[in-house]
């Protein structure tokens, strides 16, 4: 019955009116949306009561749709029906506990429901006695202030750099060594199993979030075994829930110990559903995008016993499902692909073939046979004493990461690499008429979002014969006069600019789905401005600027280093290092600034603010409405009937812009 239910069937989407009919496909993103109820009432996610009601409306619509499609769940026992509802709810909305009690407060007239049903294709002609009398759809307005996105940036897929070690140089543990290390950690080294399990589960969740997006409504089933590997799965499920994934658990052989019952309680308090083996579809990918295999770890021995033998068979059968190669469906094994021999691997050849393996502490010998695209290491708790005792070669973890990619880099089909951008709409009435103000607003938001080097920009220049070159430089200042960067006046870009004083800048704020293109004329900044900036730089950068004759071939690296050392010694007393003549700044005065906001299905928003030479004016062309404004130095604006009527009216042009909006 679950398989027959396809949420895609009732997705309705109207971009032009910026209203979407409620669709379960959108549920993952709902927390980030402002919801407009059909009554006209609006609410923000921060408004708990209204938001709770909004969620309820969604669920009632969801259930009504289900019931009208499937009648009374004919043949289902009330228990089974309840369970199925629970699965559907959790798939759609995640946690329900916080808002479900509000259900009793809702009473919506049947007339509203019928009117709404007519617009959504839900049939009410023969309502089931169970059909709630108060279901109706929602209109979702995909708008909210950008600042709220910054508070909860969507999780994005990122790849950690490959560990800087060949596969051969990483240590692989035998089963005996793995057990022994476990014993030392929890013996003389004073760790508790709870601690290690928490770190292991967090590593698993972190590894998954590096490869699979949570904002694609990713549904994860965690299959947990009876031992600590199963415990890692329970912990990972909790972290994944908090990372925004929709998680379900199947934990058929529970352990009575307080550690495990505590983990179960924590998950239940998040309303994460626990499914029995019988609840699961034969083809696990029917209802889930990712299957986490946390059944057996390094203590596995012999042949799998029920019910795990059947579960392992079901996961292994997913290897042959076509859909896997074309979609984001994946099997992820924790520490050991369950059913594999801990040292020999998949002896029978028809075992699980995971897409991702997260080895914990150190990979076990079987991991040598892993051929999937993503091998990660987690369990960042191994102290040097263990590394020394077992002669472990392990890759360093980058930064504060809880996981590190090891093994071969994934082979990717370049043409298949794409992101579906989910952003707030960039509406014309929200764009500053002044491009520098708009740029500053976006730049501040890029800084607030914690982007690395938000001031990095591609600078494209052209020689007099039209040969274009680009490189990344750093923006060092921006104001109404333009965009400033510093460089060596002997560099290729400087040579280009001396021949052709026009250039283009491109800012790419990837995780905000934003780009800003700037085009204009370029001139050198004054000596005083360059000199002031030069002396604000760290001493090492000043020395580097003096010794580096950019774009000039060297006879060897040591020439540069020797020159640096010599200069360093010369100014060892801390004297002022003079700015060399061949180093200084450029300023690009824009005549076009384009703001680009990536949107779903490539329906991006672009706003183009262009300078209109000689006019201190602003011309807006917004949604077909043309507006021409005079823009005084003091910042006030006056409306004019035409461009020619402005000519001569503004005595002291500063710069002027008109706007064009693209859709
Ligand atoms: N130091 C670390 O690296 C840490 C790793 N962690 C994780 O812990 C597992 C190892 O956990 P452990 O509990 O020792 O073992 P398993 O999870 O593999 O499971 C043992 C249970 O499985 C049963 N079992 C074994 N073989 C079979 C089989 N053929 N069929 C059915 N059941 C089987 C076994 O029952 P027995 O009756 O056979 O004893 C146990 O009930 C490691 O891999 C990591 O994932 C920690 O979380 C953190 C520290
Ligand atoms: K496993």
């Amino acid at each position: 019955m679950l398989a027959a239910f396809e949420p895609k069937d009732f997705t309705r989407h109207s971009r032009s009116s910026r209203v979407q009919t409620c669709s379960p496909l959108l549920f993952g993103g709902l927390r980030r949306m402002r919801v407009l109820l059909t009554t006209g009432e609006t609410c923000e996610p921060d408004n708990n009561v209204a938001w709770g009601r909004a969620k309820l409306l969604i669920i009632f619509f969801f259930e009504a749709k289900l019931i009208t499609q499937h009648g009374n769940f004919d043949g289902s026992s009330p228990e089974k029906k309840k369970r199925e509802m629970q699965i559907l709810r959790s798939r759609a909305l995640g946690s329900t506990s916080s808002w479900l009690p509000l259900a009793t407060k809702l009473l919506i007239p049947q007339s509203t429901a019928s009117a709404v049903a007519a617009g959504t294709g839900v049939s009410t002609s023969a309502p089931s006695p169970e059909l709630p009398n108060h279901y109706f759809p929602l209109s979702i307005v995909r708008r909210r202030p950008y600042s709220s996105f910054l508070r909860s940036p969507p999780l994005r897929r990122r790849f950690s750099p490959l560990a800087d070690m060949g596969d051969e140089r990483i240590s692989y543990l035998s089963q005996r060594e793995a057990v022994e290390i476990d014993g030392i950690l929890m013996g003389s080294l004073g760790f508790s199993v709870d601690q290690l399990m928490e770190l292991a589960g967090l590593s698993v969740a972190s590894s998954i979030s590096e490869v699979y997006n949570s904002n694609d409504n990713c549904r994860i089933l965690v299959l947990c075994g009876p031992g600590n590997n199963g415990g890692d799965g329970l912990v990972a499920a909790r972290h994944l829930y908090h990372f925004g994934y929709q998680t379900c658990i199947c934990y058929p052989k529970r352990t009575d110990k307080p550690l495990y019952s505590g983990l179960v309680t924590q998950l239940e308090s998040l309303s994460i559903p626990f499914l029995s083996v019988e609840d699961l579809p034969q083809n696990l990918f029917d209802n889930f995008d990712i299957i986490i295999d946390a059944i057996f770890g390094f203590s596995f021995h012999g042949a799998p016993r029920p019910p795990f033998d059947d579960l392992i068979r079901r996961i292994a059968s997913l290897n042959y499902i076509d859909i896997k190669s074309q979609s984001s469906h994946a099997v992820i094994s924790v520490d050991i692909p369950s059913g594999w021999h801990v040292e020999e691997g998949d002896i029978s050849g028809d075992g699980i073939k995971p897409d991702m393996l997260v080895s914990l502490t150190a990979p076990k010998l079987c991991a040598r046979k892993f051929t999937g695209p993503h091998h990660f290491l987690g369990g960042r708790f191994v102290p040097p004493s263990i590394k020394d005792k077992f002669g472990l070669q392990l890759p360093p973890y980058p930064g504060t990461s809880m996981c590190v990619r090891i093994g071969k880099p994934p082979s990717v089909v370049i043409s298949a690499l794409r992101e579906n951008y989910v952003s707030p709409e960039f509406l014309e009435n929200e764009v500053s008429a002044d491009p520098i103000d708009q740029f500053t607003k976006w730049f501040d938001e890029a800084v607030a979002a914690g982007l690395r080097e938000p001031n990095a920009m591609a600078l494209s220049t052209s020689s007099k014969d039209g040969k274009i070159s680009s490189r990344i430089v750093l923006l060092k200042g921006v104001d109404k006069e333009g965009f400033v960067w510093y460089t060596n006046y002997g560099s290729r870009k400087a040579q280009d600019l001396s021949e052709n004083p026009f250039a283009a800048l491109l800012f790419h704020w990837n995780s905000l789905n934003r780009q800003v293109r700037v085009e204009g004329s370029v001139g050198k900044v004054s000596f005083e401005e360059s000199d002031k900036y030069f002396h604000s730089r760290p001493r090492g950068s000043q020395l580097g600027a003096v010794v580096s004759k950019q774009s000039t071939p060297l006879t060897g690296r040591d020439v540069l280093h020797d020159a640096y050392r010599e200069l360093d010694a010369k100014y060892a007393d801390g004297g002022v290092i003079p700015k060399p003549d061949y180093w200084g700044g450029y300023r690009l005065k824009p005549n076009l600034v384009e703001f680009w906001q990536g949107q779903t299905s490539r329906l991006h928003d672009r706003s183009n603010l262009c300078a209109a030479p000689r006019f201190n004016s602003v011309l807006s062309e917004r949604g077909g409405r043309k507006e021409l404004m005079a823009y005084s130095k003091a910042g006030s604006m006056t409306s004019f009937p035409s461009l020619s009527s402005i000519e001569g009216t503004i005595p002291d042009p500063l710069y002027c812009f008109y706007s064009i909006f693209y859709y």
Side-chain angles (χ1 to χ4, degrees):
M1 182 169 296
L2 288 180
F5 178 74
E6 178 46 74
K8 279 184 197 140
D9 292 348
F10 61 104
T11 302
R12 284 157 48 96
H13 180 195
S14 158
R15 183 179 160 78
S16 54
S17 61
R18 298 201 185 89
V19 170
Q20 293 171 325
T21 306
C22 175
S23 154
L25 292 181
L26 298 166
F27 284 174
L30 270 177
R31 264 164 275 164
R32 298 190 212 106
M33 293 176 188
R34 189 161 66 106
V35 171
L36 173 70
L37 308 188
T38 43
T39 55
E41 184 186 352
T42 61
C43 68
E44 296 285 343
D46 330 23
N47 177 340
N48 285 339
V49 174
W51 184 237
R53 292 177 59 191
K55 279 185 164 183
L56 273 170
L57 300 182
I58 296 163
I59 208 159
F60 282 148
F61 174 55
F62 195 80
E63 292 185 359
K65 177 77 186 175
L66 184 79
I67 292 165
T68 48
Q69 279 197 342
H70 299 293
N72 278 333
F73 287 86
D74 286 342
S76 297
S77 67
E79 259 316 292
K80 185 153 186 227
K81 188 180 123 187
K82 204 172 133 201
R83 262 204 317 272
E84 285 174 348
M85 278 296 191
Q86 194 190 5
I87 298 169
L88 287 166
R89 276 188 190 137
S90 65
R91 280 175 53 188
L93 291 164
S95 167
T96 55
S97 59
S98 56
W99 46 269
L100 205 55
L102 291 159
T104 50
K105 295 188 185 160
L106 264 159
L107 270 180
I108 306 298
Q110 178 68 45
S111 55
T112 314
S114 308
V116 155
T120 57
V122 176
S123 161
T124 54
S125 52
S128 134
E130 301 223 12
L131 182 67
N133 190 29
H134 41 254
Y135 73 91
F136 45 81
L138 299 172
S139 298
I140 299 161
V141 182
R142 192 164 56 88
R143 282 188 60 192
R144 66 172 196 146
Y146 207 78
S147 54
S148 52
F149 268 73
L150 299 178
R151 279 201 302 274
S152 56
L155 278 173
R156 319 223 99 253
R157 182 179 307 169
R158 52 207 155 93
F159 285 107
S160 59
L162 186 67
D164 190 18
M165 308 176 79
D167 226 9
E168 328 69 53
R169 289 181 49 213
I170 290 174
S171 304
Y172 290 82
L173 301 178
S174 66
Q175 190 169 30
R176 188 189 52 73
E177 286 171 324
V179 173
E180 199 181 333
I181 289 175
D182 211 32
I184 298 173
L185 285 167
M186 287 188 269
S188 57
L189 287 176
F191 284 97
S192 67
V193 65
D194 310 34
Q195 272 183 299
L196 297 179
M197 196 175 277
E198 189 63 31
L199 292 169
L202 179 59
S203 303
V204 171
S206 306
S207 306
I208 291 171
S209 75
E210 293 226 354
V211 179
Y212 303 98
N213 271 337
S214 66
N215 54 8
D216 296 338
N217 294 330
C218 189
R219 300 159 305 170
I220 297 186
L221 172 67
V222 192
L223 299 169
C224 297
N228 289 351
N229 196 260
D232 294 350
L234 297 174
V235 173
R238 170 162 39 79
H239 289 294
L240 287 166
Y241 167 89
H242 288 296
F243 290 177
Y245 297 86
Q246 298 173 31
T247 42
C248 282
I249 293 170
C250 176
Y251 184 30
K253 261 191 119 182
R254 301 193 182 192
T255 310
D256 251 358
K257 292 182 190 154
L259 164 60
Y260 292 88
S261 46
L263 292 175
V264 168
T265 306
Q266 291 155 28
L267 293 162
E268 282 173 346
S269 75
L270 298 171
S271 300
I272 294 176
F274 280 76
L275 310 177
S276 69
V277 176
E278 299 76 53
D279 283 336
L280 300 177
Q282 199 55 37
N283 175 356
L284 298 173
F285 283 156
D286 273 353
N287 288 359
F288 303 99
D289 304 303
I290 290 180
I291 310 298
I292 299 184
D293 147 37
I295 301 177
F296 297 125
F298 60 60
S299 298
F300 174 74
H301 51 87
R305 300 189 293 272
F308 301 110
D309 51 351
D310 175 53
L311 276 182
I312 290 174
R313 257 195 307 277
R314 283 202 226 179
I315 308 175
S317 70
L318 298 173
N319 298 335
Y320 308 104
I321 291 178
D322 278 353
I323 191 173
K324 201 171 152 188
S325 57
Q326 301 152 14
S327 70
S328 58
H329 288 74
V331 171
I332 297 164
S333 286
V334 177
D335 208 20
I336 311 273
S338 296
W340 282 26
H341 188 282
V342 177
E343 295 177 358
E344 305 297 327
D346 182 16
I347 297 173
S348 68
D350 54 10
I352 294 180
K353 292 191 176 39
D355 304 88
M356 180 173 188
L357 172 64
V358 185
S359 293
L360 296 166
T361 307
K364 317 301 171 293
L365 278 167
C366 66
R368 283 185 186 280
K369 311 275 170 66
F370 170 71
T371 54
H374 308 290
H375 189 185
F376 278 72
L377 177 66
R380 192 174 183 177
F381 46 64
V382 183
S385 59
I386 295 241
K387 284 191 186 156
D388 292 348
K389 180 169 164 58
F390 291 84
L392 296 186
Q393 298 258 35
L394 296 175
Y397 288 85
T400 54
S401 183
M402 293 309 293
C403 58
V404 56
R405 181 185 279 280
I406 51 178
K408 297 186 305 303
S411 59
V412 291
V413 180
I414 292 177
S415 62
L417 286 177
R418 66 176 62 82
E419 286 273 340
N420 194 23
Y421 307 119
V422 180
S423 320
E425 256 166 345
F426 179 42
L427 298 173
E428 43 273 49
N429 56 9
E430 290 168 4
V431 183
S432 303
D434 185 323
I436 301 298
D437 290 346
Q438 181 60 36
F439 178 85
T440 308
K441 183 166 175 276
W442 273 25
F443 187 82
D444 291 347
E445 289 175 350
V447 172
L451 302 194
R452 191 160 172 260
E453 296 205 313
N455 59 335
M457 56 187 187
L459 163 67
S460 299
T461 54
S462 161
S463 63
K464 63 174 179 299
D465 49 359
K467 292 201 178 97
I468 299 164
S469 58
S470 301
R471 75 289 289 156
I472 301 291
V473 296
L474 295 177
L475 179 73
K476 288 293 167 182
V478 59
D479 58 19
K480 307 283 180 198
E481 297 297 319
F483 297 73
V484 175
W485 69 94
Y486 292 87
T487 186
N488 187 301
Y489 286 151
S491 62
R492 172 164 175 194
K493 51 188 162 317
Q495 178 61 35
D496 279 0
L497 288 169
S498 71
E499 295 172 6
N500 176 358
F502 293 95
L505 307 173
L506 174 66
F507 295 84
H508 182 208
W509 295 315
N510 186 25
S511 51
L512 297 179
N513 304 331
R514 285 176 170 176
Q515 291 181 44
V516 181
R517 290 170 53 192
V518 186
E519 293 170 16
S521 55
V522 182
K524 285 184 180 173
V525 307
S526 68
F527 171 86
E528 291 71 29
E529 199 175 337
S530 290
D531 198 55
K532 189 169 168 212
Y533 172 68
F534 181 80
H535 289 110
S536 74
R537 304 176 85 205
R539 188 169 175 278
S541 307
Q542 294 183 34
L543 293 172
V546 177
V547 297
S548 162
K549 305 277 184 295
Q550 237 188 60
S551 308
T552 315
L554 293 170
T555 50
R557 184 180 295 269
D558 47 334
V559 177
L560 196 60
H561 289 183
D562 289 349
Y564 184 96
R565 268 193 295 275
E566 216 173 281
L567 199 68
D568 191 17
K570 185 171 168 191
Y571 292 101
D573 58 356
V576 176
I577 304 161
K579 177 188 87 62
D581 294 342
Y582 49 81
W583 192 94
Y586 283 102
R587 172 173 284 108
L588 182 145
K589 210 169 164 51
N591 55 27
L592 178 144
V593 186
E594 182 183 281
F595 298 89
W596 180 94
Q597 176 80 70
Q599 295 292 6
T600 314
S601 303
R602 298 304 186 252
L603 301 172
H604 311 309
D605 295 326
R606 282 199 289 157
S607 159
N608 217 326
L609 302 178
C610 312
R614 297 188 302 113
F615 297 105
N616 200 13
S617 63
V618 178
L619 169 67
S620 313
E621 202 174 289
R622 292 174 175 168
R625 186 171 54 89
K626 278 191 184 171
E627 202 180 353
L628 183 60
M629 314 275 284
Y631 186 47
S632 83
K633 246 184 178 174
S636 67
M637 291 193 205
T638 326
S639 198
F640 280 84
S642 68
L643 256 185
S644 57
S645 66
I646 299 181
E647 199 155 15
T649 356
I650 309 295
D652 184 17
L654 182 63
Y655 63 85
C656 43
F657 291 90
Y658 62 91
S659 310
I660 306 167
F661 288 87
Y662 297 89
Y663 298 99

